Amino acid sequence: MARVLVYGYGNPGRLDDGLGPALIDALAAHGCPGDVTLETGYQLQVEDAALVAPFDLVVFADAHASCAPPFELRRLEPLHAADFTTHSLAPEAVLALARDLYGSRAAGFVLGIRGDRFDDYGEGLSPVARRHLDAAADFLRQALRDGTGELRCPSPGR
Amino acid sequence: MEATSGRRVVIEPVTRVEGHGKVTILLDAEGHVERARFHVVEFRGFERFIQGRPYWEVPVAVQRLCGICPVSHHLAAAKAMDRIVGGEKLTPTAEKMRRLMHYGQTFQSHALHFFHLASPDLLFGFGSDVNARHVLGVAAKHPDLARQGILMRRYGQEIIRVTAGKKVHGTGAIPGGVNKNLKVAERDPLLAELQQMREWAQATVKLAREYTLAHVDSLGGFGSFPSNHVSLVREDGALDLYDGGLRAIDAQGRTIFDHVDPQRYLEFIAEEVKPWSYMKFPFIRSLGPEHGWYRVGPLARINACTFIDTPLAEAERKMFVEVAGGRPSTLTMAYHWARMIELLHAIEKIDALLHDPDLQGTDLVVRGERRGEAVAIVEAPRGTLFHHYKVDENDQVTMANLIVSTTSNNEPMNRAVTSVAKQFLDGQEITEGLLNHVEVAIRAYDPCLSCATHALGQMPLDVELRDAAGRLVARRVKDSRG
């Protein structure tokens, strides 16, 4: 059985930016099939390369500011690029570090969940984001059900 | 604002400057660089977010501000709430647990900055190919160094976890003390790695020192300028990251004020509002807004302190002072060396604390006479952090004022970017070279932009060139794919 990590990240104190951690809460509350490890964080950091390295499949779940609702699943390739100075890494960069430093062969996906409100302080998701979260959680539970670690990007108009 | 399923907060006009990491370069009528502005995050929205909360929630709630330095906000808020409950004279166990948490935070934050952000500039040169000049380039060419950075960062994170209870959004510090001590089973794994961490810290400070010494002439012309410096110092003038009085020195090292009780900070520090920014601009009140701006952070701390009370870091500080000619260093790029001196100091302090049996004590909380107002200051990794609160008789926060280090460093960063733009702007085109050098100058200050949201699809650096009439002449954006 494939070892799967679902890593939800974001800031729950900035409204819909908390969609990633909220997905982990939703999966934990209702159970997740297969050999799945759930993890949350504020941002992706360099040490996350060591965290993701042992897994066969890693799903990075984050809020998305502009994708088509309710969510977008995108296959990742390790990428040698880094942000300006935000002290965080892109998921592609985490995979690249895991590969270069720890010999990881993890397959990576990013699950971007469309949010609506990001420009304020406040706890809790907007009603729109909550609907998108439910759709993303249902999709992921279903997709991981067979335990093979194979994920397919849903077709448009899901 | 749309209602949310949780707390509803209305903040007008906007809570942050759009485009985090946005730089505007303004030209004069002749087309030369007049000044540059680096736009950073606005915090007053958060201050309103805190109002109305019970005071005991604040040390946890303020950590929502930032994913990079939540421990600094946690400790600053807890220190303020100590005074609210009359418990500012902590038990030895409580103070040492908090200090251990703080040194762990400093260690991991400084390691992250050096290996993730600074080392590519220093190892490859900041005129080198931007496509390889990042942490992944370091991983490809210096994998041992990259793994070392990750392990140092993880060590500091583990200290935070065992002192704060969690890696992120810990609850360890509470008004009047802490809610846990350090179990022997938590301490021993940290002791086992201590020697390795100290050796790596020594090697890292050596790398930063040798870089500075090898480039000291050219760095003098790179975004450098004389300034005032502000930091906390201990009663005897020693570097103290957790507590003490405020000291300010001028560009010649002369004292402007010293050992100022944090409760009186408003008598010495004022905040100016400028029409083009929602952000506040702090300045030394006696010097006025034009001359009273100041630097904070590692460079300011090493410049301002009289000595460091740990031997390895003190030996490095003496070399630092010697290179600067006995005066405060003006080099923006010397932030890196100063930061690594503090990294070494942090691991020396962690060493002493892990061997201190007070950390296994059980007297965790004190209380005293209740107060309605309190100020607390800590030296966060990026610089001096002020938290000021008023709490009413119903235990609710009625006022919060925060001055974060990136705000204090705003004017110095503007000056650094202006200096770099004057040196590297060629005509009216934003070249790759200009973009790179602007990045390097800003990075030296380690500004915290992560207080913002980071959702996919947002951009981290946006440089605009505007003419004397304010018209957009050129724009260049660098996103996470370079």
Short mmCIF file of all heavy atoms in Angstrom, two decimals, chain A residues 9-11 14 17 42-43 45 47 63 65 80-84 87 89 92 97 101 116-121 123 125 127, chain B residues 1-2 5-7 9 11 15 46 63-64 66-68 116 134 136 147 153 169 443 446-447 450-451 453-454 456 480-481:
data_model
loop_
_atom_site.label_atom_id
_atom_site.label_comp_id
_atom_site.label_asym_id
_atom_site.label_seq_id
_atom_site.Cartn_x
_atom_site.Cartn_y
_atom_site.Cartn_z
N TYR A 9 -1.71 23.48 4.37
CA TYR A 9 -1.02 24.61 4.97
C TYR A 9 -1.73 25.92 4.65
O TYR A 9 -2.46 26.04 3.67
CB TYR A 9 0.46 24.65 4.57
CG TYR A 9 0.71 24.74 3.08
CD1 TYR A 9 1.02 25.95 2.49
CD2 TYR A 9 0.64 23.61 2.28
CE1 TYR A 9 1.27 26.04 1.13
CE2 TYR A 9 0.88 23.69 0.91
CZ TYR A 9 1.19 24.90 0.35
OH TYR A 9 1.43 24.99 -0.99
N GLY A 10 -1.47 26.91 5.52
CA GLY A 10 -2.11 28.21 5.37
C GLY A 10 -2.30 28.84 6.74
O GLY A 10 -1.97 28.24 7.76
N ASN A 11 -2.83 30.04 6.76
CA ASN A 11 -3.01 30.78 8.01
C ASN A 11 -4.49 30.84 8.37
O ASN A 11 -5.25 31.59 7.75
CB ASN A 11 -2.44 32.20 7.85
CG ASN A 11 -2.51 33.00 9.13
OD1 ASN A 11 -3.15 32.59 10.10
ND2 ASN A 11 -1.86 34.14 9.14
N ARG A 14 -6.38 34.19 8.75
CA ARG A 14 -6.60 35.09 7.62
C ARG A 14 -7.71 34.51 6.72
O ARG A 14 -7.54 34.33 5.53
CB ARG A 14 -5.31 35.29 6.83
CG ARG A 14 -4.21 36.01 7.60
CD ARG A 14 -4.61 37.42 8.05
NE ARG A 14 -4.86 38.32 6.97
CZ ARG A 14 -3.95 39.14 6.44
NH1 ARG A 14 -2.73 39.15 6.91
NH2 ARG A 14 -4.25 39.94 5.46
N ASP A 17 -7.55 31.80 3.81
CA ASP A 17 -6.18 31.29 3.72
C ASP A 17 -6.04 30.02 4.57
O ASP A 17 -5.08 29.26 4.41
CB ASP A 17 -5.18 32.34 4.18
CG ASP A 17 -3.78 32.04 3.68
OD1 ASP A 17 -3.63 31.79 2.47
OD2 ASP A 17 -2.84 32.03 4.49
N TYR A 42 1.87 26.28 8.66
CA TYR A 42 1.56 27.65 8.26
C TYR A 42 2.00 27.88 6.82
O TYR A 42 1.30 28.44 6.01
CB TYR A 42 2.32 28.60 9.17
CG TYR A 42 1.46 29.53 9.96
CD1 TYR A 42 0.32 29.08 10.61
CD2 TYR A 42 1.81 30.86 10.10
CE1 TYR A 42 -0.45 29.93 11.36
CE2 TYR A 42 1.05 31.72 10.85
CZ TYR A 42 -0.09 31.26 11.47
OH TYR A 42 -0.84 32.11 12.21
N GLN A 43 3.23 27.49 6.58
CA GLN A 43 3.85 27.67 5.27
C GLN A 43 4.76 26.49 5.04
O GLN A 43 5.14 25.81 6.00
CB GLN A 43 4.70 28.95 5.25
CG GLN A 43 3.90 30.20 5.43
CD GLN A 43 4.74 31.32 6.03
OE1 GLN A 43 5.59 31.09 6.86
NE2 GLN A 43 4.47 32.52 5.59
N GLN A 45 8.28 24.96 4.50
CA GLN A 45 9.62 25.39 4.89
C GLN A 45 10.63 24.35 4.46
O GLN A 45 10.28 23.23 4.08
CB GLN A 45 9.69 25.57 6.42
CG GLN A 45 8.68 26.54 6.98
CD GLN A 45 9.05 28.00 6.71
OE1 GLN A 45 10.08 28.28 6.11
NE2 GLN A 45 8.19 28.91 7.13
N GLU A 47 12.58 22.44 6.10
CA GLU A 47 12.61 21.16 6.79
C GLU A 47 11.47 20.23 6.33
O GLU A 47 11.50 19.03 6.62
CB GLU A 47 12.55 21.34 8.31
CG GLU A 47 11.22 21.84 8.85
CD GLU A 47 11.18 23.36 8.91
OE1 GLU A 47 11.96 24.00 8.18
OE2 GLU A 47 10.37 23.91 9.68
N ALA A 63 -4.99 27.03 -0.01
CA ALA A 63 -6.01 27.91 -0.59
C ALA A 63 -5.51 28.40 -1.95
O ALA A 63 -4.32 28.54 -2.17
CB ALA A 63 -6.22 29.10 0.33
N ALA A 65 -6.20 31.45 -4.84
CA ALA A 65 -6.86 32.74 -5.00
C ALA A 65 -7.58 32.89 -6.33
O ALA A 65 -8.44 33.76 -6.49
CB ALA A 65 -5.83 33.87 -4.86
N HIS A 80 13.45 23.71 -9.45
CA HIS A 80 14.48 24.51 -8.80
C HIS A 80 14.13 25.98 -8.91
O HIS A 80 14.59 26.69 -9.79
CB HIS A 80 15.85 24.25 -9.44
CG HIS A 80 16.49 23.01 -8.92
ND1 HIS A 80 17.84 22.85 -8.86
CD2 HIS A 80 15.96 21.89 -8.40
CE1 HIS A 80 18.12 21.66 -8.33
NE2 HIS A 80 17.00 21.06 -8.07
N ALA A 81 13.30 26.43 -8.00
CA ALA A 81 12.95 27.85 -7.96
C ALA A 81 12.62 28.19 -6.51
O ALA A 81 12.26 27.33 -5.73
CB ALA A 81 11.75 28.15 -8.85
N ALA A 82 12.79 29.45 -6.18
CA ALA A 82 12.52 29.85 -4.81
C ALA A 82 11.87 31.22 -4.80
O ALA A 82 12.05 32.02 -5.71
CB ALA A 82 13.81 29.89 -4.00
N ASP A 83 11.12 31.48 -3.73
CA ASP A 83 10.45 32.76 -3.60
C ASP A 83 11.45 33.85 -3.25
O ASP A 83 12.59 33.60 -2.92
CB ASP A 83 9.37 32.67 -2.51
CG ASP A 83 8.12 32.01 -3.06
OD1 ASP A 83 8.04 31.86 -4.28
OD2 ASP A 83 7.25 31.65 -2.25
N PHE A 84 10.96 35.06 -3.26
CA PHE A 84 11.79 36.24 -3.05
C PHE A 84 12.32 36.29 -1.62
O PHE A 84 13.49 36.12 -1.36
CB PHE A 84 10.96 37.46 -3.42
CG PHE A 84 11.37 38.73 -2.78
CD1 PHE A 84 12.66 39.20 -2.91
CD2 PHE A 84 10.46 39.48 -2.07
CE1 PHE A 84 13.03 40.39 -2.33
CE2 PHE A 84 10.81 40.66 -1.50
CZ PHE A 84 12.10 41.12 -1.62
N HIS A 87 10.26 33.54 3.18
CA HIS A 87 10.60 32.50 4.13
C HIS A 87 9.77 31.24 3.92
O HIS A 87 9.58 30.46 4.84
CB HIS A 87 10.42 32.96 5.58
CG HIS A 87 11.17 34.20 5.90
ND1 HIS A 87 10.68 35.44 5.64
CD2 HIS A 87 12.40 34.38 6.43
CE1 HIS A 87 11.58 36.35 6.02
NE2 HIS A 87 12.62 35.74 6.49
N LEU A 89 8.55 28.05 0.94
CA LEU A 89 8.90 27.42 -0.32
C LEU A 89 7.64 27.05 -1.08
O LEU A 89 6.60 26.77 -0.49
CB LEU A 89 9.69 26.14 -0.06
CG LEU A 89 11.15 26.27 0.41
CD1 LEU A 89 11.74 24.90 0.62
CD2 LEU A 89 11.97 27.04 -0.61
N GLU A 92 6.67 22.66 -5.27
CA GLU A 92 7.62 22.09 -6.23
C GLU A 92 9.05 22.13 -5.68
O GLU A 92 9.85 21.23 -5.91
CB GLU A 92 7.60 22.87 -7.55
CG GLU A 92 6.29 22.77 -8.32
CD GLU A 92 5.35 23.93 -8.00
OE1 GLU A 92 5.44 24.47 -6.88
OE2 GLU A 92 4.52 24.27 -8.87
N LEU A 97 13.93 19.72 -3.18
CA LEU A 97 14.86 19.57 -2.05
C LEU A 97 14.85 18.14 -1.53
O LEU A 97 15.90 17.57 -1.21
CB LEU A 97 14.48 20.53 -0.92
CG LEU A 97 15.13 21.90 -0.88
CD1 LEU A 97 14.64 22.65 0.35
CD2 LEU A 97 16.64 21.81 -0.86
N LEU A 101 18.31 16.18 -1.64
CA LEU A 101 19.00 15.97 -0.35
C LEU A 101 18.74 14.61 0.25
O LEU A 101 19.56 14.09 1.00
CB LEU A 101 18.58 17.06 0.65
CG LEU A 101 18.95 18.49 0.28
CD1 LEU A 101 18.45 19.46 1.34
CD2 LEU A 101 20.46 18.63 0.12
N ASP A 116 -12.24 32.82 -1.19
CA ASP A 116 -12.91 34.04 -1.61
C ASP A 116 -12.39 35.26 -0.86
O ASP A 116 -12.21 36.32 -1.44
CB ASP A 116 -14.42 33.87 -1.36
CG ASP A 116 -15.21 35.07 -1.82
OD1 ASP A 116 -14.92 35.57 -2.93
OD2 ASP A 116 -16.11 35.52 -1.09
N ARG A 117 -12.12 35.12 0.43
CA ARG A 117 -11.69 36.26 1.24
C ARG A 117 -10.31 36.02 1.82
O ARG A 117 -10.12 35.08 2.58
CB ARG A 117 -12.68 36.51 2.39
CG ARG A 117 -14.07 36.93 1.97
CD ARG A 117 -14.06 38.21 1.14
NE ARG A 117 -13.26 39.28 1.70
CZ ARG A 117 -13.73 40.20 2.55
NH1 ARG A 117 -14.98 40.18 2.91
NH2 ARG A 117 -12.94 41.15 3.02
N PHE A 118 -9.37 36.87 1.48
CA PHE A 118 -8.00 36.75 1.99
C PHE A 118 -7.50 38.04 2.63
O PHE A 118 -6.46 38.04 3.26
CB PHE A 118 -7.04 36.40 0.84
CG PHE A 118 -7.30 35.07 0.20
CD1 PHE A 118 -8.02 35.00 -0.98
CD2 PHE A 118 -6.83 33.90 0.77
CE1 PHE A 118 -8.27 33.78 -1.58
CE2 PHE A 118 -7.07 32.68 0.16
CZ PHE A 118 -7.79 32.61 -1.02
N ASP A 119 -8.22 39.14 2.42
CA ASP A 119 -7.64 40.44 2.72
C ASP A 119 -8.08 40.99 4.07
O ASP A 119 -8.25 42.18 4.25
CB ASP A 119 -7.99 41.43 1.62
CG ASP A 119 -9.49 41.56 1.43
OD1 ASP A 119 -10.22 40.77 2.04
OD2 ASP A 119 -9.91 42.46 0.70
N ASP A 120 -8.26 40.12 5.03
CA ASP A 120 -8.68 40.57 6.34
C ASP A 120 -8.15 39.61 7.39
O ASP A 120 -7.71 38.51 7.08
CB ASP A 120 -10.22 40.56 6.41
CG ASP A 120 -10.75 41.89 6.89
OD1 ASP A 120 -10.04 42.55 7.65
OD2 ASP A 120 -11.88 42.24 6.51
N TYR A 121 -8.16 40.07 8.63
CA TYR A 121 -7.90 39.15 9.74
C TYR A 121 -9.23 38.59 10.21
O TYR A 121 -10.23 39.29 10.25
CB TYR A 121 -7.23 39.88 10.90
CG TYR A 121 -5.82 40.28 10.63
CD1 TYR A 121 -5.49 41.60 10.38
CD2 TYR A 121 -4.81 39.33 10.62
CE1 TYR A 121 -4.17 41.97 10.13
CE2 TYR A 121 -3.51 39.69 10.37
CZ TYR A 121 -3.19 41.01 10.13
OH TYR A 121 -1.89 41.38 9.88
N GLU A 123 -11.06 34.60 11.89
CA GLU A 123 -11.04 33.14 11.89
C GLU A 123 -12.32 32.62 11.26
O GLU A 123 -13.38 33.19 11.42
CB GLU A 123 -10.90 32.64 13.33
CG GLU A 123 -9.54 32.98 13.92
CD GLU A 123 -9.54 32.98 15.43
OE1 GLU A 123 -10.63 32.96 16.03
OE2 GLU A 123 -8.44 32.99 16.01
N LEU A 125 -13.99 30.24 7.73
CA LEU A 125 -14.03 30.31 6.27
C LEU A 125 -15.29 31.01 5.80
O LEU A 125 -16.33 30.97 6.47
CB LEU A 125 -14.01 28.89 5.69
CG LEU A 125 -12.81 28.02 6.08
CD1 LEU A 125 -13.00 26.61 5.54
CD2 LEU A 125 -11.51 28.62 5.55
N PRO A 127 -18.63 31.29 3.48
CA PRO A 127 -19.56 30.21 3.06
C PRO A 127 -19.15 29.59 1.72
O PRO A 127 -19.27 28.38 1.52
CB PRO A 127 -20.90 30.93 2.97
CG PRO A 127 -20.78 32.09 3.88
CD PRO A 127 -19.35 32.53 3.82
N MET B 1 -17.93 43.78 4.20
CA MET B 1 -17.27 42.49 4.29
C MET B 1 -18.29 41.36 4.43
O MET B 1 -19.26 41.49 5.14
CB MET B 1 -16.35 42.50 5.52
CG MET B 1 -15.64 41.21 5.74
SD MET B 1 -14.80 41.26 7.33
CE MET B 1 -14.68 39.52 7.62
N GLU B 2 -18.04 40.27 3.76
CA GLU B 2 -18.97 39.14 3.82
C GLU B 2 -18.87 38.45 5.17
O GLU B 2 -17.79 38.31 5.74
CB GLU B 2 -18.60 38.16 2.72
CG GLU B 2 -19.56 36.99 2.62
CD GLU B 2 -19.20 36.12 1.43
OE1 GLU B 2 -18.66 36.63 0.46
OE2 GLU B 2 -19.48 34.92 1.50
N SER B 5 -18.18 32.15 8.80
CA SER B 5 -18.75 31.23 9.77
C SER B 5 -18.13 31.41 11.15
O SER B 5 -18.63 30.91 12.13
CB SER B 5 -18.56 29.80 9.28
OG SER B 5 -17.18 29.56 9.08
N GLY B 6 -17.02 32.11 11.22
CA GLY B 6 -16.37 32.32 12.51
C GLY B 6 -16.49 33.77 12.93
O GLY B 6 -17.52 34.39 12.81
N ARG B 7 -15.36 34.32 13.39
CA ARG B 7 -15.33 35.68 13.86
C ARG B 7 -15.45 36.65 12.69
O ARG B 7 -14.84 36.48 11.66
CB ARG B 7 -13.97 35.91 14.52
CG ARG B 7 -14.02 36.65 15.79
CD ARG B 7 -12.62 36.68 16.35
NE ARG B 7 -12.28 38.04 16.76
CZ ARG B 7 -12.72 38.57 17.87
NH1 ARG B 7 -13.50 37.90 18.66
NH2 ARG B 7 -12.38 39.79 18.20
N VAL B 9 -14.83 40.39 11.33
CA VAL B 9 -14.04 41.57 11.61
C VAL B 9 -14.20 42.57 10.46
O VAL B 9 -14.05 42.20 9.31
CB VAL B 9 -12.54 41.21 11.74
CG1 VAL B 9 -11.74 42.43 12.16
CG2 VAL B 9 -12.35 40.08 12.72
N ILE B 11 -12.69 45.95 8.94
CA ILE B 11 -11.54 46.84 9.03
C ILE B 11 -11.51 47.74 7.81
O ILE B 11 -11.51 47.26 6.69
CB ILE B 11 -10.24 46.03 9.11
CG1 ILE B 11 -10.26 45.14 10.35
CG2 ILE B 11 -9.03 46.96 9.17
CD1 ILE B 11 -9.30 44.01 10.28
N THR B 15 -6.58 46.48 5.09
CA THR B 15 -5.73 46.05 6.19
C THR B 15 -4.28 45.90 5.78
O THR B 15 -3.43 45.72 6.61
CB THR B 15 -6.21 44.72 6.72
OG1 THR B 15 -6.26 43.81 5.64
CG2 THR B 15 -7.56 44.87 7.36
N PHE B 46 -4.71 44.01 12.48
CA PHE B 46 -4.58 42.97 13.49
C PHE B 46 -4.84 43.52 14.89
O PHE B 46 -5.41 42.84 15.74
CB PHE B 46 -3.19 42.36 13.43
CG PHE B 46 -3.08 41.15 14.30
CD1 PHE B 46 -3.55 39.93 13.83
CD2 PHE B 46 -2.58 41.23 15.57
CE1 PHE B 46 -3.50 38.81 14.65
CE2 PHE B 46 -2.53 40.12 16.38
CZ PHE B 46 -2.98 38.90 15.91
N GLN B 63 -0.31 34.89 17.68
CA GLN B 63 0.54 34.07 16.82
C GLN B 63 -0.03 33.94 15.42
O GLN B 63 0.66 33.52 14.49
CB GLN B 63 0.74 32.70 17.44
CG GLN B 63 1.50 32.77 18.76
CD GLN B 63 1.62 31.41 19.41
OE1 GLN B 63 2.55 30.67 19.14
NE2 GLN B 63 0.68 31.07 20.25
N ARG B 64 -1.31 34.31 15.27
CA ARG B 64 -1.91 34.30 13.93
C ARG B 64 -1.23 35.32 13.02
O ARG B 64 -1.41 35.27 11.80
CB ARG B 64 -3.40 34.67 14.03
CG ARG B 64 -4.24 33.72 14.86
CD ARG B 64 -4.45 32.42 14.14
NE ARG B 64 -5.45 31.61 14.80
CZ ARG B 64 -5.52 30.30 14.67
NH1 ARG B 64 -4.65 29.67 13.91
NH2 ARG B 64 -6.46 29.61 15.26
N CYS B 66 1.80 35.67 12.22
CA CYS B 66 2.98 35.33 11.45
C CYS B 66 3.34 33.86 11.59
O CYS B 66 3.29 33.32 12.69
CB CYS B 66 4.13 36.19 11.95
SG CYS B 66 5.65 35.92 11.05
N GLY B 67 3.72 33.26 10.48
CA GLY B 67 4.17 31.88 10.53
C GLY B 67 5.66 31.76 10.75
O GLY B 67 6.19 30.68 10.91
N ILE B 68 6.35 32.90 10.77
CA ILE B 68 7.80 32.87 10.88
C ILE B 68 8.25 33.19 12.30
O ILE B 68 9.13 32.57 12.85
CB ILE B 68 8.43 33.88 9.89
CG1 ILE B 68 8.17 33.40 8.47
CG2 ILE B 68 9.92 34.04 10.12
CD1 ILE B 68 8.72 32.03 8.18
N HIS B 116 18.59 29.51 3.81
CA HIS B 116 17.56 29.56 2.78
C HIS B 116 17.67 30.82 1.94
O HIS B 116 17.53 30.78 0.73
CB HIS B 116 16.19 29.47 3.46
CG HIS B 116 15.03 29.50 2.51
ND1 HIS B 116 13.73 29.54 2.93
CD2 HIS B 116 14.97 29.50 1.17
CE1 HIS B 116 12.93 29.57 1.88
NE2 HIS B 116 13.65 29.54 0.80
N HIS B 134 19.57 30.30 -5.31
CA HIS B 134 18.54 30.09 -4.30
C HIS B 134 18.87 28.82 -3.54
O HIS B 134 19.88 28.16 -3.83
CB HIS B 134 17.14 30.01 -4.92
CG HIS B 134 17.08 29.16 -6.15
ND1 HIS B 134 17.39 27.82 -6.13
CD2 HIS B 134 16.77 29.46 -7.44
CE1 HIS B 134 17.25 27.32 -7.34
NE2 HIS B 134 16.89 28.29 -8.16
N LEU B 136 17.80 25.94 -3.57
CA LEU B 136 17.91 24.69 -4.33
C LEU B 136 19.24 24.64 -5.08
O LEU B 136 19.78 23.56 -5.30
CB LEU B 136 16.73 24.57 -5.28
CG LEU B 136 15.44 24.43 -4.49
CD1 LEU B 136 14.27 25.09 -5.19
CD2 LEU B 136 15.13 23.00 -4.18
N ARG B 147 21.71 20.36 4.01
CA ARG B 147 21.17 19.44 5.03
C ARG B 147 21.44 19.98 6.43
O ARG B 147 20.62 19.87 7.32
CB ARG B 147 21.78 18.04 4.86
CG ARG B 147 21.06 17.18 3.84
CD ARG B 147 21.55 15.74 3.89
NE ARG B 147 22.87 15.62 3.30
CZ ARG B 147 23.11 15.30 2.04
NH1 ARG B 147 22.11 15.05 1.22
NH2 ARG B 147 24.34 15.22 1.58
N ARG B 153 17.59 24.22 11.63
CA ARG B 153 16.24 24.75 11.71
C ARG B 153 15.33 23.79 12.51
O ARG B 153 14.57 24.20 13.36
CB ARG B 153 15.72 24.95 10.29
CG ARG B 153 14.23 24.96 10.16
CD ARG B 153 13.67 26.33 10.02
NE ARG B 153 12.24 26.21 9.80
CZ ARG B 153 11.37 27.13 10.08
NH1 ARG B 153 11.74 28.26 10.63
NH2 ARG B 153 10.10 26.97 9.84
N HIS B 169 1.83 27.75 16.91
CA HIS B 169 0.74 28.18 17.79
C HIS B 169 0.80 27.49 19.15
O HIS B 169 -0.18 26.91 19.63
CB HIS B 169 -0.63 27.92 17.16
CG HIS B 169 -0.91 28.85 16.03
ND1 HIS B 169 -2.01 28.75 15.24
CD2 HIS B 169 -0.21 29.88 15.55
CE1 HIS B 169 -1.97 29.70 14.32
NE2 HIS B 169 -0.88 30.39 14.50
N ARG B 443 16.79 41.62 1.46
CA ARG B 443 16.96 40.35 2.18
C ARG B 443 17.86 40.48 3.40
O ARG B 443 17.69 39.78 4.38
CB ARG B 443 17.55 39.30 1.23
CG ARG B 443 16.54 38.33 0.69
CD ARG B 443 17.20 37.05 0.27
NE ARG B 443 18.00 37.18 -0.93
CZ ARG B 443 17.56 36.95 -2.17
NH1 ARG B 443 16.31 36.58 -2.34
NH2 ARG B 443 18.34 37.05 -3.21
N ASP B 446 16.07 40.85 6.42
CA ASP B 446 15.18 39.73 6.75
C ASP B 446 13.77 40.22 7.07
O ASP B 446 13.22 39.91 8.12
CB ASP B 446 15.75 38.95 7.94
CG ASP B 446 15.04 37.62 8.15
OD1 ASP B 446 14.34 37.17 7.23
OD2 ASP B 446 15.19 37.04 9.23
N PRO B 447 13.18 41.04 6.20
CA PRO B 447 11.84 41.54 6.52
C PRO B 447 10.83 40.40 6.56
O PRO B 447 10.98 39.41 5.85
CB PRO B 447 11.53 42.49 5.37
CG PRO B 447 12.32 41.98 4.23
CD PRO B 447 13.59 41.43 4.83
N SER B 450 5.65 37.42 5.67
CA SER B 450 4.79 36.25 5.76
C SER B 450 3.60 36.49 6.66
O SER B 450 2.80 35.59 6.87
CB SER B 450 5.59 35.06 6.25
OG SER B 450 6.56 35.49 7.14
N CYS B 451 3.50 37.70 7.20
CA CYS B 451 2.30 38.02 7.98
C CYS B 451 1.09 38.10 7.06
O CYS B 451 -0.04 38.14 7.50
CB CYS B 451 2.49 39.32 8.70
SG CYS B 451 4.04 39.39 9.58
N THR B 453 -1.28 36.77 3.75
CA THR B 453 -1.70 35.48 3.23
C THR B 453 -0.71 35.08 2.15
O THR B 453 0.01 35.89 1.61
CB THR B 453 -3.10 35.57 2.62
OG1 THR B 453 -3.06 36.57 1.60
CG2 THR B 453 -4.12 35.93 3.66
N HIS B 454 -0.69 33.83 1.83
CA HIS B 454 0.29 33.37 0.84
C HIS B 454 -0.37 32.49 -0.21
O HIS B 454 0.28 31.74 -0.89
CB HIS B 454 1.36 32.55 1.54
CG HIS B 454 0.85 31.22 1.97
ND1 HIS B 454 0.06 31.09 3.08
CD2 HIS B 454 0.94 30.02 1.40
CE1 HIS B 454 -0.29 29.81 3.18
NE2 HIS B 454 0.22 29.15 2.18
N LEU B 456 -1.92 30.39 -3.16
CA LEU B 456 -1.40 30.17 -4.50
C LEU B 456 -1.93 31.24 -5.44
O LEU B 456 -3.08 31.62 -5.37
CB LEU B 456 -1.86 28.80 -5.00
CG LEU B 456 -1.31 27.60 -4.25
CD1 LEU B 456 -2.13 26.36 -4.60
CD2 LEU B 456 0.15 27.38 -4.58
N SER B 480 7.33 33.16 -8.00
CA SER B 480 8.06 32.06 -7.37
C SER B 480 8.78 31.18 -8.37
O SER B 480 9.55 30.32 -7.99
CB SER B 480 7.10 31.22 -6.52
OG SER B 480 6.11 30.68 -7.35
N ARG B 481 8.54 31.40 -9.63
CA ARG B 481 9.27 30.62 -10.63
C ARG B 481 10.43 31.43 -11.21
O ARG B 481 10.99 31.09 -12.23
CB ARG B 481 8.32 30.18 -11.75
CG ARG B 481 7.36 29.13 -11.27
CD ARG B 481 6.21 28.95 -12.24
NE ARG B 481 5.17 28.14 -11.64
CZ ARG B 481 5.11 26.83 -11.71
NH1 ARG B 481 6.04 26.17 -12.34
NH2 ARG B 481 4.14 26.16 -11.14
#
